[in-house]
Amino acid sequence: MQPIHVSKKPDSSFQPDNGLQLALDLLRNPPQQQDALPKELPESGIDEPRTLHLLAPHVISGAAPLAADTTLANMDPPTPWITWAMSLWNASLNQNLLHPATAPFAIEAERKVIEWLAPLFGMNGGHMCGGSTLANLTALWVARDSMQVERVVASVNAHNSIAKAAKILGLPYEQIRTRPDGQFDLEHAGDLSNTCLVLTAGTTATGTIEPLELIDKAGWGHIDAAWAGPLLLSRRYAQLLAGIDKADSVSVSAHKWLFQPKDSAFIFFKAPETAEPAISYGGGYLSAPNIGIQGSRGAAAIPLLATMIAWGSSGMAARIDHTMDIAHQLAAVISTDQNLQLWGEPASGVVVFRPNNMTTDELDKQLPDGMFSLCEIDNNKWLRSVAANPLADIGKIITCLKSAVAGT
Ligand SMILES: *Cc1c(COP(=O)(O)O)cnc(C)c1O
């Protein structure tokens, strides 16, 4: 065999020098002028600093400003800077939760955040995953394989990830009709002993908290708390989720109301010791069994751990309470404006309304991008605001809305 010559020249692409400072400077002050991206994969690269200059106006100016004081549209929050710092460390260390040897501290960090958060939900363990879509699929997988459930029942307002999960798992999916306020009972749901019942704490369209006290009426009870789960950190609002501790599993997206960068979510289990074996695969190259759906995954616990240590539980609660205040103030103003109709009292920071004196689209066109989102409920178009942004200036937003709806 011919000896192969391996170059010993150090590769500076793995040593940032001043590159990260430049990235931060551009993040603060992105250049306005956009140059076109290469049409095809370039034969030779242009180097890192030039790439940062080329991409900054696209990536940074081309993103919706989630931290802007008029942003109140979606469940995507602005992220605190300590999570940027931790994401940088994470990207550079590239630990893999699949392999304990690469991630000794990341695994400990995940255990710690679960130890701190799971008890709020009355749960005893679980793991992180890339979003509540995956968390919901994981829960239904456990329900099917550890409790032999044969169907999934949820309300018509459940997130589409429940329908997806039922489809993937080959389980029939039945949807319960709700009253106009989004509430319902299980009178027509039949025998639930072979069923995974899913209730939502904070429906995506209206933030409705479904009747969680019904969760123990089925073979497996799963609560999708992707949005409203973090209310349990708040002394003022934790009571809204009373009954959640009777669930067998709970999903929560940390990249929503816990202000984390994506992809950060939890699946929690009441009895991890029986749930996890149903979804664990070991052997082969794995030194520890792989639990859940994802294989390789990053250390999403570290930015969250940092946020929790930096803010403490009272600091986390204060941000959530503040966004709830924003929602309640907006709802109060809408309910007293004769040109506006409020869908209902906001249960979990989601305010849904529409104008009486013009179409919803007409009003929407007059408002700044990103202030509200559009949604459809019972074949009607509504405007929707989600209080995920603690930096929103509610006075400014109300002034803007009032003048748009008054046509001034
Ligand atoms: C956002 C959301 C999901 C999906 O969560 P992702 O983290 O986006 O995957 C599921 N259920 C509800 C109620 C949600 O609001």
Side-chain angles (χ1 to χ4, degrees):
M1 215 165 83
Q2 284 280 321
I4 293 170
H5 177 74
V6 178
S7 163
K8 284 202 189 116
K9 211 169 132 234
D11 183 341
S12 63
S13 289
F14 292 81
Q15 309 286 337
D17 288 328
N18 302 322
L20 293 176
Q21 188 55 50
L22 174 60
L24 198 54
D25 293 344
L26 289 167
L27 180 63
R28 293 212 179 98
N29 286 309
Q32 292 308 308
Q33 151 136 17
Q34 281 195 2
D35 294 328
L37 302 184
K39 279 214 170 54
E40 279 153 27
L41 171 63
E43 163 68 25
S44 12
I46 59 171
D47 84 24
E48 285 83 355
R50 272 187 218 126
T51 303
L52 291 181
H53 281 286
L54 172 67
L55 286 182
H58 293 276
V59 175
I60 302 166
S61 313
L66 298 179
D69 62 4
T70 55
T71 293
L72 212 55
N74 293 109
M75 291 181 168
D76 304 283
T79 49
W81 69 261
I82 194 157
T83 67
W84 313 351
M86 294 302 108
S87 300
L88 179 64
W89 291 2
N90 270 351
S92 129
L93 301 168
N94 205 20
Q95 301 185 72
N96 189 349
L97 273 280
L98 181 63
H99 297 302
T102 75
F105 180 72
I107 286 171
E108 190 184 323
E110 184 165 316
R111 270 199 210 110
K112 210 163 198 53
V113 294
I114 288 174
E115 202 180 292
W116 289 351
L117 290 176
L120 292 173
F121 298 85
M123 299 291 118
N124 295 300
H127 59 267
M128 294 191 78
C129 51
S132 284
T133 299
L134 289 176
N136 288 338
L137 175 57
T138 311
L140 270 53
W141 180 17
V142 170
R144 189 191 68 177
D145 288 4
S146 79
M147 285 302 287
Q148 282 73 51
V149 306
E150 289 165 5
R151 63 171 186 152
V152 178
V153 168
S155 92
V156 291
N157 300 321
H159 190 263
N160 61 23
S161 55
I162 305 298
K164 283 191 216 170
K167 170 90 177 174
I168 291 168
L169 293 165
L171 294 168
Y173 179 44
E174 290 163 39
Q175 290 181 298
I176 302 173
R177 298 199 141 279
T178 60
R179 294 189 287 270
D181 63 357
Q183 299 299 321
F184 55 90
D185 54 45
L186 297 174
E187 213 178 307
H188 303 293
D191 175 10
L192 292 171
S193 56
N194 66 345
T195 299
C196 174
L197 173 66
V198 179
L199 298 174
T200 307
T203 58
T204 315
T206 60
T208 302
I209 296 169
E210 296 189 334
L212 305 187
E213 70 281 359
L214 301 176
I215 201 62
D216 62 356
K217 303 284 183 268
W220 187 274
H222 174 65
I223 294 183
D224 178 357
W227 166 247
L231 284 176
L232 284 166
L233 284 157
S234 159
R235 270 174 223 247
R236 268 157 69 190
Y237 298 111
Q239 194 51 32
L240 292 174
L241 301 195
I244 198 168
D245 56 313
K246 301 283 185 323
D248 295 298
S249 53
V250 175
S251 304
V252 185
S253 285
H255 55 217
K256 290 180 172 176
W257 228 349
L258 290 174
F259 311 105
Q260 293 305 294
K262 294 170 189 70
D263 306 278
S264 184
F266 291 94
I267 177 65
F268 293 125
F269 299 112
K270 171 69 86 192
E273 65 286 357
T274 52
E276 285 172 355
I279 54 167
S280 292
Y281 284 74
Y285 64 97
L286 292 173
S287 64
N290 174 210
I291 301 173
I293 294 166
Q294 288 172 273
S296 297
R297 69 184 167 86
I302 290 178
L304 180 58
L305 178 68
T307 310
M308 294 205 282
I309 292 174
W311 289 0
S313 63
S314 69
M316 315 267 310
R319 269 79 178 192
I320 294 165
D321 286 353
H322 174 67
T323 56
M324 284 289 268
D325 289 344
I326 288 174
H328 290 140
Q329 194 174 339
L330 178 63
V333 165
I334 290 166
S335 68
T336 55
D337 188 315
Q338 56 174 13
N339 293 327
L340 292 171
Q341 179 193 352
L342 186 64
W343 176 82
E345 280 307 309
S348 63
V350 181
V351 180
V352 175
F353 64 97
R354 61 178 174 175
N356 294 325
N357 58 344
M358 59 181 96
T359 68
T360 302
D361 281 323
E362 281 164 353
L363 177 56
D364 184 49
K365 275 198 213 95
Q366 298 179 51
L367 295 165
D369 283 348
M371 184 171 279
F372 305 121
S373 48
L374 286 163
C375 71
E376 217 178 274
I377 302 168
D378 296 335
N379 297 321
N380 288 308
K381 258 198 189 165
W382 298 75
L383 284 162
R384 165 177 170 271
S385 101
V386 181
N389 178 15
L391 306 172
D393 179 343
I394 188 59
K396 189 167 171 183
I397 289 169
I398 287 169
T399 307
C400 216
L401 173 62
K402 285 230 164 224
S403 90
V405 80
T408 54

